[in-house]
């Protein structure tokens, strides 16, 4: 069936359809579950193991279970995926991750959350997401690219086994599935104890499974196609910049997985918001100063390109295949987010002086 689709529509169109399918699932599940790394980091920073953390744990561990389970069953091979095979940057993962984490707090959401919120009528998210995308493009190919490249070159790691955490520690995919399943069970238990609705917990698991589906579909297409197809899964900064620049600079948009993913997420989130009557217009106001959001967007745009992905691209897609730099990046995102939240909370509590 896949071969006939490729013969009829071409590689790019099939990849775009796969991206749209994964995007709709991710967008609907992320909207319903309230999946958000920023919210989870805030809970942990405030010394709480609450519902937001349970949602993130369920999503992350479900992603690992689905990806590593497919690998253990021989259905998936990610050894040629860029987060593992290409040269990586530890300095980029550390610095970029810290910047992205700080930006998440200032903008009240990561790249994926902003896209999901945009689909629910949140005008703040739309403006912030556009600025994030423009800064990311500048860091990738524009005026900020030399700074990004200089920081990335500070500490490089070669691709291959040296970027695969499972290989480095001698852990088989089956063992990784078992450990992730235990975390998944713990996440569901925490969700139950914190009063999380069952549908929200299930939707969080679907967020993780969407990541696994992305890897599986791009791998299947790569195995079927006669062209070179890059293995990838859910990520937002790169696809968002490619989609925006394609729409601005050209009358035609080159088709690919990311081109289908972004509108798919938007459609899935908007549909879920409409079905649950959660769609409403939200604007900037006195309690939501635009300047703070724009600074956060700039930090996330540059940070994501430096770190090799956003909170989902590096944190979940890269994390699910145990790419070393991805795990370093998402750890630094947590650290940057928690530290920024604590600093901002301290300033808010500090008495004013006359």
């Amino acid at each position: 069936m896949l071969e006939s689709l490729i013969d009829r529509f071409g590689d790019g169109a099939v990849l775009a359809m796969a991206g749209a399918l994964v995007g709709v699932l991710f967008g609907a599940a992320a909207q319903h579950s309230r999946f958000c790394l920023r919210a989870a980091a805030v809970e942990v920073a405030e010394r709480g193991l609450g519902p937001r953390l349970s949602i993130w744990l369920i999503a992350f561990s479900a992603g690992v279970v689905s990806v590593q389970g497919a690998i253990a069953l021989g259905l998936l091979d990610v050894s040629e995926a860029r987060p593992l095979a290409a040269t990586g940057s530890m300095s980029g993962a550390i610095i970029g991750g810290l910047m992205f984490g700080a930006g998440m707090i200032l903008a009240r959401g990561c790249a994926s959350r902003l896209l999901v919120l945009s689909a629910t009528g949140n005008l703040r998210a739309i403006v912030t997401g556009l600025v994030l995308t423009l800064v990311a493009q500048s860091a990738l190919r524009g005026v900020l690219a030399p700074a990004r490249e200089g920081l990335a070159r500070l500490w490089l790691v070669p691709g291959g086994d040296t970027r695969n955490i499972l290989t480095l520690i001698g852990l088989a995919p089956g063992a990784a599935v078992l450990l992730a399943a235990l975390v998944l069970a713990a996440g569901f238990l925490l969700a139950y104890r914190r009063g999380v609705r069952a549908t929200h917990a299930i939707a969080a698991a679907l967020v993780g499974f969407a990541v696994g589906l992305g890897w599986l579909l791009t791998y299947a297409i790569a195995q079927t196609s006669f062209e070179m197809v890059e293995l990838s899964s859910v990520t937002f900064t790169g696809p968002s910049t490619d989609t925006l620049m394609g729409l601005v600079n050209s009358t035609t948009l080159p088709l690919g997985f990311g081109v289908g993913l972004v509108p798919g997420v938007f459609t899935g989130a908007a549909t879920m918001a409409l079905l649950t009557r959660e769609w409403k217009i939200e604007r900037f106001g006195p309690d939501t100063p635009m300047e703070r959001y724009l600074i956060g967007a700039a930090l996330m745009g540059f940070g994501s390109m430096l770190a090799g992905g956003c909170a989902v691209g590096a944190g979940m897609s890269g994390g699910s295949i145990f790419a070393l730099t991805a795990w370093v990046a998402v750890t630094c995102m947590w650290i940057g987010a928690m530290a920024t939240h604590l600093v901002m909370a301290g300033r808010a509590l500090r008495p004013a002086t006359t």
Side-chain angles (χ1 to χ4, degrees):
M1 178 180 177
L2 188 56
E3 186 175 355
S4 63
L5 285 175
I6 293 175
D7 289 339
R8 182 175 181 179
F9 299 106
D11 299 306
V14 174
L15 281 168
M17 286 188 283
L21 175 63
V22 172
V24 168
L25 174 60
F26 183 97
Q31 164 59 18
H32 189 62
S33 66
R34 311 297 194 273
F35 168 75
C36 180
L37 175 57
R38 180 203 66 85
V42 168
E43 279 189 346
V44 175
E46 295 178 349
R47 300 181 183 180
L49 302 179
R52 299 301 188 190
L53 176 61
S54 70
I55 292 295
W56 190 87
L57 286 175
I58 290 171
F60 182 83
S61 55
V64 175
V65 167
S66 61
V67 173
Q68 294 300 318
I71 293 173
L73 293 172
L75 303 175
L76 177 64
D77 180 3
V78 294
S79 59
E80 296 301 317
R82 184 176 179 80
L84 290 175
T87 299
S89 171
M90 290 290 284
S91 56
I94 295 169
I95 300 171
L98 292 172
M99 292 178 66
F100 192 95
M104 280 195 304
I105 298 299
L106 296 174
R108 296 186 61 82
C110 66
S112 65
R113 186 62 181 161
L114 292 176
L115 178 58
V116 170
L117 289 175
S118 297
T120 68
N122 192 314
L123 302 182
R124 299 191 305 270
I126 293 176
V127 173
T128 307
L130 286 172
V131 173
L132 187 159
T133 302
L134 291 172
V135 173
Q137 178 66 18
S138 178
L140 180 63
R141 299 187 180 93
V143 68
L144 296 178
R148 175 187 60 80
E149 292 169 356
L151 291 172
R153 285 195 296 265
L154 293 176
W155 184 5
L156 298 175
V157 289
D161 290 344
T162 53
R163 287 190 73 180
N164 190 324
I165 294 177
L166 295 183
T167 301
L168 291 174
I169 64 177
L171 194 67
V177 172
L178 178 60
L179 292 175
L182 293 175
V183 176
L184 180 60
F188 274 112
L189 179 60
L190 178 61
Y192 173 76
R193 290 184 172 177
R194 295 298 182 266
V196 175
R197 289 171 53 184
T199 57
H200 288 185
I202 293 170
L206 291 177
V207 169
F209 288 132
V211 171
L213 181 61
W215 284 118
L216 280 167
L217 287 178
T218 56
Y219 176 73
I221 294 170
Q223 293 297 105
T224 306
S225 175
F226 290 104
E227 304 295 330
M228 291 292 296
V229 174
E230 181 180 358
L231 298 184
S232 62
S233 187
V234 182
T235 186
F236 291 100
T237 313
S240 296
T241 58
D242 292 341
T243 303
L244 179 61
M245 292 303 106
L247 293 173
V248 170
N249 294 328
S250 176
T251 57
T252 59
L253 187 63
L255 296 176
F257 184 82
V259 171
L261 177 71
V262 174
V265 171
F266 190 93
T267 301
T271 302
M272 180 59 70
L274 289 169
L275 290 174
T276 55
R277 298 182 180 181
E278 295 173 332
W279 198 97
K280 64 178 181 178
I281 295 293
E282 295 188 47
R283 303 176 177 86
F284 288 102
D287 296 330
T288 54
M290 179 183 286
E291 60 273 19
R292 192 187 75 189
Y293 282 75
L294 298 185
I295 293 171
L299 287 171
M300 284 194 290
F302 187 86
S304 62
M305 286 302 174
L306 181 58
C310 60
V312 172
M316 296 215 18
S317 294
S320 66
I321 62 174
F322 284 88
L324 175 62
T325 49
W327 278 71
V328 172
V330 74
T331 300
C332 290
M333 288 175 190
W334 274 89
I335 294 171
M338 290 190 293
T340 303
H341 173 73
L342 291 174
V343 169
M344 292 182 65
R347 288 181 177 177
L349 293 173
R350 190 178 303 160
T353 59
T354 57

